[in-house]
């Protein structure tokens, strides 16, 4: 038994999301409650505590600390060493200290916590109706950071010195706002200002006037945590028409912010666990099936059979829905990114006043500077409860992707051109930047360059290796090759997709399905339906979907009827082709002849193995999309239609893709092709107007198409296992953002004896590909 009079001193080094979330005050309260003495301090990349006391108290400390851990904190590691005793009188929180570089643990922006929400609507509280109420568990973090460690002086809150009352809270270890870096109130914090589109200041309470304007059908630009939103009441047909026209957003769905759980359940079909995901501190947009009894105007918000919704995640949002003693007629609002088509979300008030003046009627500004712009994160949820990221940004960035083995070189990866998000690898972590956008737009490219410079400056690092995609025409590739930064390395697109899954699961070698719309292949063609053996230092292509032409190149992507023609031209008679493609609003006979010649002669008809383009062709054959108005429109509508016929059952492991007419051709001993032309022929019938969601036949055909692709994927997985002897399989690429395909395929893979690896915390599409680019280089040394 230990001598109770013996005194020992321990040094703890904590790592994780532990700065700006009340972790140091928690350590303080834990230590004091156990009668321990010493200190706790932020360092650039960690939190350090030295604690001194009896062995019994020291033994209790880590267990009690984990029980007291704040909800917003994530404690990755807690290393402990015994050190020499020191003279101590009490336990203290010391000033932050800079240390040698590793990733500083900056917290993400956090949704308003229950305690602050309660105070917001408490008429006796001094922060009653204060639109910037925060504490250690909620409020802006990443979006306002300028330097590290995360202290008030290194954020845009430095512009707001605390009043005596706030400073007293900040200095009181027993207070919930002890060392809350965003602490403020009516007397000392940020303020709101409402202006008309011409810049005229509006009189009255800014929030009450905004509520009135929204109920009158006006469009309001709201400055939020990471940028501007455009808000409108979707019940107002004129407002919806205006916002679609002004943003050049003909059919792309909008997200809705809903007042509460009751409204979420009125609009969407929620399952057990969905509400918990909606109400996390990240507060993302989640996409659900539209409820049967949803009001008719929801079809003007989303025509896909699904709907993206989120909860109010700032005090301002809460007040717009729940302002006391005010009759508010709306229970949901369109809340879409404040930007023009193709451009990044606007975060600067001056820029917003110029660019959004033709869209918004009113502008609700605040004077807290946004230093890192962040869009709302977007996720889907499978029936089994698995999250699928479509966009990773606010609420998740800058959480790190941890690695078991440290990278040998500091690595900057620039990602792809679509859904661009760069990544930075250093030590045992990878930082994935927030979603930036599509680099075809010049302003987005400028923001891409600016964000990279801000990231390198924030983390004070100079990359030794710069990684890019192999596509020679990508803007990100060209930018990387122009930089005078260390060694430049190209990584094949679909290999990088699989490497991103491997990074999340710490894998060295897998077989994988890498399915998307477009990626530059090593043979100069467009890949996208790839069956691969993937290692950290290279890959081998084991199979793919049969190649087909894209007559007109990009024009075929925008007009997927052309893709359907290319796939069916050789297996249908000329009369059948004419009946299929030249009826109604389809092709003219001259267009059919011209496109057929292009396909036959290979004129401006690049070849592709893309599964994403097969989905496009299927959607065109079912009359869902003639001209694409936004990326992924055909596959999104096809899935939405199929979900209406889905009974919740996966394909059986015993299934054979030949049941749907899919033929497997063994091209060489180690390379196979999946021919889906006969599958598409089953969808081919005289073109008609787009079917309604009640069109049972079309929904059944859409579901059978999904089942067939799942069966073909399963067959390809089996063949890869035979070729390699590997049973671990990774699934990546934008096609795996399709929930239905995942639900049909994954149980069959597991039943067939595969160990299945999917993305956990990053998007399956191009928004996560930079993680894989970083992971490739660590394998090469």
């Amino acid at each position: 038994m230990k001598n109770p009079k013996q005194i020992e001193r321990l040094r703890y080094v904590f790592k994780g999301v532990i700065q700006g979330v009340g972790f140091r005050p928690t350590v303080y309260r834990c230590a004091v409650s156990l009668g321990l003495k010493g200190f706790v301090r932020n360092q650039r990349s960690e939190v350090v505590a030295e604690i001194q006391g009896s062995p019994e108290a020291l033994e209790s400390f880590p267990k009690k600390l984990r029980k007291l851990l704040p909800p917003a904190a994530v404690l990755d590691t807690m290393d402990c060493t015994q050190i020499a005793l020191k003279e101590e009188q009490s336990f203290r929180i010391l000033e932050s200290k800079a240390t040698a570089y590793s990733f500083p643990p900056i917290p993400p922006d956090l949704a308003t916590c229950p305690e602050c929400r309660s105070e917001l609507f408490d008429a006796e509280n001094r922060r009653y109706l204060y639109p910037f109420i925060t504490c250690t568990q909620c409020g802006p973090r990443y979006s306002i950071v300028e330097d590290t460690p995360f202290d008030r002086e290194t954020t845009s809150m430095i512009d707001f010195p605390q009043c005596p009352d706030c400073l007293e809270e900040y200095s009181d270890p027993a207070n919930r706002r002890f060392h809350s870096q965003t602490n403020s109130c009516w007397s000392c914090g940020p303020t709101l200002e409402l202006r008309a589109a011409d810049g005229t200041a509006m009189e009255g309470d800014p929030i009450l006037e905004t509520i009135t304007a929204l109920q009158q059908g006006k469009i309001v630009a709201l400055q939020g945590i990471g940028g501007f939103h455009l808000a409108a009441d979707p019940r107002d047909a004129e407002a919806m028409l205006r916002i679609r026209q002004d943003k050049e957003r003909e059919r792309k769905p909008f997200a809705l912010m809903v007042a509460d759980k009751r409204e979420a359940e009125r609009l969407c079909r929620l399952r057990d666990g969905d509400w918990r995901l909606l109400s996390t501190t990240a507060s993302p947009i989640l996409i659900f099936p539209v409820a049967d009894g949803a009001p008719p105007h929801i079809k003007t918000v989303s025509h896909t059979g699904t709907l993206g919704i989120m909860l109010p995640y700032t005090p301002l949002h809460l007040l717009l829905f729940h302002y006391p003693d005010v009759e508010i007629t709306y229970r949901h609002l369109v809340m879409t990114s404040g930007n023009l088509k193709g451009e990044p979300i606007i975060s600067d008030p001056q820029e917003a006043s110029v660019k959004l003046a033709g869209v918004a009627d009113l502008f609700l500004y605040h004077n807290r500077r946004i230093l890192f712009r962040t869009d709302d994160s977007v996720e889907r949820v499978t029936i089994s409860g698995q999250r699928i990221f479509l966009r990773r940004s606010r609420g998740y960035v800058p959480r790190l992707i941890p690695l078991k083995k440290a990278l040998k070189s500091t690595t900057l990866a620039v990602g792809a051109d679509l859904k661009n998000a760069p990544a930075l690898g250093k030590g045992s972590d990878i930082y994935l930047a927030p979603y930036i956008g599509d680099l075809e737009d010049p302003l987005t490219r400028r923001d891409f360059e600016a964000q990279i410079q801000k990231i390198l400056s924030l983390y004070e690092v100079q990359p030794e290796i710069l990684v890019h995609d192999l596509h020679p025409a990508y803007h990100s590739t060209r930018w990387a090759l122009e930089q005078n930064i260390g060694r430049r390395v190209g990584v094949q697109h679909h290999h990088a997709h699989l490497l991103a899954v491997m990074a999340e699961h710490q894998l060295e070698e897998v077989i994988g399905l890498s399915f998307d719309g477009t990626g530059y292949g090593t043979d100069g063609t467009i890949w996208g339906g790839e069956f691969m053996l993937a290692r950290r230092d290279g890959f081998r292509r084991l199979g793919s979907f049969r190649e087909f032409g894209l007559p007109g190149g990009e024009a075929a992507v925008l007009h997927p009827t052309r893709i359907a023609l290319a796939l069916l031209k050789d297996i249908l008679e000329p009369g059948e082709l004419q009946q299929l493609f030249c009826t109604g609003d389809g092709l003219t006979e001259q267009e059919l002849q011209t496109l057929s010649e292009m396909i036959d002669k290979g004129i401006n008809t690049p070849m592709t193995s893309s599964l994403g383009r097969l989905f496009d062709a299927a959607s065109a054959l079912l009359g869902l999309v003639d001209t694409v108005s936004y990326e992924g429109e055909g596959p999104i509508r096809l899935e939405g239609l199929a979900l209406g016929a889905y009974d919740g059952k996966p394909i059986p492991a015993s299934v054979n893709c030949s049941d749907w007419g899919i033929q497997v051709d063994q091209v060489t001993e180690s390379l196979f092709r999946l021919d889906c032309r006969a599958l598409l022929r089953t969808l081919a019938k005289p073109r008609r107007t787009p079917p309604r969601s009640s069109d049972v036949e079309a929904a059944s055909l859409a579901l059978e198409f999904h089942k067939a692709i799942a069966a073909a994927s399963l067959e390809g997985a089996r063949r890869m296992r035979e070729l390699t002897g590997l049973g671990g399989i990774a699934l990546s690429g934008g096609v795996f953002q399709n929930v239905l395909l995942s639900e049909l395929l994954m149980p069959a893979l597991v039943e067939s004896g595969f160990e299945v690896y999917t993305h956990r915390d990053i998007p399956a599409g191009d928004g996560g590909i930079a993680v894989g680019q970083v992971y490739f280089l660590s394998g090469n040394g």
Side-chain angles (χ1 to χ4, degrees):
M1 188 172 178
K2 296 180 180 178
N3 180 358
K5 295 183 179 180
Q6 182 181 350
I7 300 297
E8 297 177 358
R9 188 178 183 90
L10 301 179
R11 186 176 193 269
Y12 279 92
V13 177
F14 306 98
K15 292 186 178 181
V17 182
I18 49 177
Q19 295 189 13
V21 293
F23 181 72
R24 286 180 298 163
T26 301
V27 172
Y28 174 92
R29 286 190 286 269
C30 180
V32 170
S33 70
L34 294 170
L36 295 168
K37 299 175 181 179
F39 67 85
V40 61
R41 174 170 57 198
N42 267 346
Q43 297 194 161
R44 184 176 178 84
S45 57
E46 59 214 10
V47 170
V48 173
E50 292 187 10
I51 57 175
Q52 188 167 298
S54 70
E56 289 79 10
L58 293 172
E59 185 177 354
S60 301
F61 174 79
K63 296 177 183 177
K64 185 167 186 177
L65 179 62
R66 287 192 179 277
K67 289 181 180 179
L68 295 174
L69 203 63
V74 178
L75 185 56
D76 292 331
T77 62
M78 182 167 56
D79 297 329
C80 176
T81 55
Q82 186 165 351
I83 59 177
L85 293 174
K86 294 182 181 178
E87 188 68 30
E88 294 283 8
Q89 301 300 321
S90 62
F91 196 89
R92 299 151 292 147
I93 295 181
L94 300 184
E95 292 295 318
S96 299
K97 177 182 178 182
T99 64
Y101 174 79
S102 104
F103 276 115
I106 303 166
D109 301 312
L110 304 169
T112 304
C113 69
E115 290 81 2
C116 282
R117 176 173 178 151
S118 177
E119 291 178 352
L120 179 67
F121 294 107
D122 179 1
E124 301 299 318
N125 192 280
R126 71 187 190 92
R127 291 186 176 86
Y128 180 56
L129 306 183
Y130 177 55
F132 302 97
I133 186 171
T134 67
C135 69
T136 56
Q137 297 305 296
C138 64
R141 299 292 192 271
Y142 174 76
S143 60
I144 62 170
V145 70
E146 194 158 32
D147 200 355
T148 58
F150 184 83
D151 286 324
R152 195 180 189 94
E153 292 73 20
T154 58
T155 72
S156 56
M157 286 302 293
I158 194 175
D159 300 339
F160 306 99
Q162 295 181 82
C163 67
D165 287 341
C166 285
L167 191 58
E168 182 178 351
E169 294 170 329
Y170 181 88
S171 305
D172 180 4
N175 195 286
R176 198 175 86 252
R177 294 185 170 87
F178 182 48
H179 280 237
S180 172
Q181 308 304 339
T182 54
N183 193 32
S184 65
C185 69
W186 286 108
S187 299
C188 62
T191 57
L192 291 174
E193 181 182 37
L194 185 66
R195 290 185 175 270
D198 62 4
T200 304
M202 307 293 290
E203 296 182 356
D205 184 308
I207 298 176
L208 290 176
E209 293 301 318
T210 297
I211 292 171
T212 299
L214 289 168
Q215 294 184 143
Q216 292 172 346
K218 293 181 179 178
I219 299 170
V220 182
L222 303 171
Q223 187 177 357
I225 283 184
F228 278 81
H229 280 119
L230 288 170
D233 186 343
R235 298 173 303 170
D236 192 293
E238 183 179 346
M240 290 300 295
L241 180 62
R242 282 183 52 211
I243 201 169
R244 285 201 176 277
Q245 289 177 339
D246 292 341
K247 286 202 68 175
E248 300 180 65
R249 192 166 174 151
E250 182 183 355
R251 293 190 296 269
K252 187 175 183 180
F254 288 113
L256 293 181
M257 182 171 283
V258 298
D260 48 31
K261 183 178 182 180
R262 181 179 179 182
E263 185 67 4
E265 292 175 335
R266 186 172 80 96
L267 301 182
C268 297
R269 297 203 303 269
L270 302 186
R271 300 180 300 265
D272 292 343
D274 288 344
W275 175 251
R276 180 184 60 79
L277 293 174
L278 266 176
S279 54
T280 62
T281 57
S283 193
I285 296 170
L286 287 175
I287 299 176
F288 300 111
V290 175
D292 293 335
H297 70 263
I298 292 301
K299 292 182 179 178
T300 69
V301 177
S302 174
H303 65 314
T304 65
T306 58
L307 184 65
I309 62 172
M310 60 180 161
L311 293 172
Y313 57 83
T314 72
L316 174 59
H317 295 148
L318 289 167
L319 291 169
L320 290 177
F321 283 98
H322 304 288
Y323 205 99
D325 303 321
V326 175
E327 184 180 357
I328 301 175
T329 59
Y330 56 78
R331 302 301 294 160
H332 56 264
L333 292 170
V334 164
M335 199 70 72
T336 187
S337 299
N339 59 354
L340 300 181
K341 184 178 180 180
E343 295 185 4
I345 186 172
I346 296 171
S347 58
D348 177 69
Q350 183 61 36
E351 183 183 3
S353 68
V354 174
K355 289 189 173 180
L356 301 181
V359 184
D361 301 300
L362 295 172
F363 291 77
L364 185 58
Y365 300 111
H366 63 69
N367 57 346
R368 184 183 63 214
R369 291 177 293 134
I370 298 172
L371 301 178
F372 277 93
R373 70 179 89 207
T374 56
D375 278 277
D376 295 313
S377 294
V378 184
E379 302 175 44
R380 301 190 68 183
V381 186
T382 66
I383 291 174
S384 58
Q386 178 188 356
R387 294 181 307 146
I388 297 177
F389 274 93
L390 276 65
R391 184 167 73 199
R392 181 182 183 269
S393 193
R394 178 193 52 77
Y396 295 103
V397 176
R399 290 181 180 171
L400 304 173
I401 294 95
L403 303 174
K404 287 183 179 177
K405 296 181 181 179
L407 303 174
K408 296 179 180 179
S409 304
T410 301
T411 304
L412 173 66
V414 296
D417 269 20
L418 288 176
K419 299 178 176 62
N420 181 266
L424 181 65
K426 169 71 175 179
S428 299
D429 294 295
I430 299 175
Y431 160 85
L432 178 63
Y435 165 86
I436 291 176
D438 299 342
L439 299 187
E440 188 62 32
D441 178 76
L443 289 177
T444 307
R445 291 200 297 273
R446 188 173 69 187
D447 186 54
F448 158 78
E449 296 177 15
Q451 289 295 315
I452 286 178
Q453 293 305 315
K454 289 177 73 172
I455 291 165
L456 297 180
S457 174
L458 177 65
Y459 292 123
E460 295 183 359
V461 62
Q462 184 66 21
E464 301 165 87
I465 300 175
L466 184 57
V467 202
H468 57 83
D469 194 274
L470 291 181
H471 200 308
Y474 269 4
H475 296 288
S476 54
T477 299
R478 292 175 177 176
W479 181 87
L481 294 175
E482 292 169 357
Q483 304 308 302
N484 186 25
I485 299 177
R487 180 163 60 97
R488 267 66 59 83
V489 176
V491 181
Q492 199 280 324
H493 190 89
H494 301 93
H495 182 210
H497 271 311
L498 295 176
L499 284 166
V501 181
M502 294 166 66
E504 287 195 86
H505 293 273
Q506 316 291 323
L507 304 174
E508 298 292 325
E509 181 182 50
V510 290
I511 52 175
L513 310 180
S514 192
F515 297 162
D516 64 4
T518 299
Y520 190 78
T522 54
D523 59 0
T525 64
I526 302 168
W527 292 3
E530 309 310 307
F531 298 80
M532 289 178 162
L533 167 63
R535 299 187 179 95
R536 292 181 68 177
D537 60 352
F539 73 94
R540 183 154 56 97
R541 192 186 195 196
L542 302 177
S544 73
F545 287 92
R546 184 183 184 274
E547 291 184 338
F548 51 91
L550 298 174
E554 186 63 27
V557 178
L558 296 175
H559 304 281
T561 298
R562 295 181 176 215
I563 305 175
L565 173 62
L567 283 156
L568 295 175
K569 182 180 176 300
D570 293 336
I571 62 172
L572 294 180
E573 296 296 326
E576 292 178 298
L577 291 173
Q578 187 171 343
Q579 182 189 30
L580 176 61
F581 292 109
C582 297
T583 56
D585 297 328
L587 302 172
T588 65
E589 291 186 16
Q590 181 59 52
E591 287 173 330
L592 177 62
Q593 180 180 344
T594 300
L595 289 170
S596 296
E597 290 181 1
M598 291 172 63
I599 295 166
D600 289 339
K601 298 177 181 179
I603 300 172
N604 190 23
T605 302
M607 301 301 290
T608 184
S609 59
S610 167
L611 181 54
R613 300 288 85 88
L614 279 172
F615 272 84
D616 284 336
S619 69
L621 289 170
L622 287 177
L624 296 173
V625 177
D626 287 326
T627 301
V628 172
S629 68
Y630 60 90
E631 189 211 353
E633 180 177 9
I636 290 171
R637 296 195 66 181
L638 187 70
E639 183 195 3
L641 186 64
L643 282 169
Y646 182 46
D647 60 4
K649 297 178 181 179
I651 61 170
S654 59
V655 76
N656 195 313
C657 62
S658 62
D659 296 342
W660 287 271
I662 297 177
Q663 180 178 329
V664 186
D665 300 320
Q666 197 68 41
V667 180
T668 68
E669 187 177 333
S670 59
L671 184 67
F672 60 85
R673 294 277 190 268
L674 293 160
D675 187 345
C676 295
R677 290 177 296 172
L679 168 65
L680 291 177
R681 184 168 53 194
T682 65
L683 306 181
K685 51 183 60 181
R687 290 169 60 80
R688 59 192 191 280
T689 56
R692 299 182 301 273
S693 58
S694 60
D695 189 327
V696 176
E697 180 188 12
S700 177
L701 288 170
L703 177 60
E704 288 304 308
F705 176 82
H706 280 80
K707 287 182 177 179
I709 296 302
S713 303
L714 179 61
E715 176 61 27
R718 288 171 176 155
R719 288 180 176 252
M720 288 195 293
R721 182 166 59 186
E722 291 174 4
L723 288 168
T724 65
L726 297 176
I729 187 166
L731 313 182
S732 189
V735 169
F736 284 108
Q737 293 175 342
N738 183 313
V739 165
L740 177 57
L741 181 62
S742 298
E743 292 284 354
L744 290 168
L745 174 60
M746 287 176 59
L749 286 169
V750 173
E751 188 180 345
S752 299
F754 289 94
E755 188 168 1
V756 183
Y757 299 100
T758 61
H759 290 286
R760 295 183 298 199
D761 296 310
I762 63 174
D766 286 359
I769 202 168
V771 171
Q773 291 174 341
V774 171
Y775 200 60
F776 169 76
L777 283 174
S778 67
N780 276 349

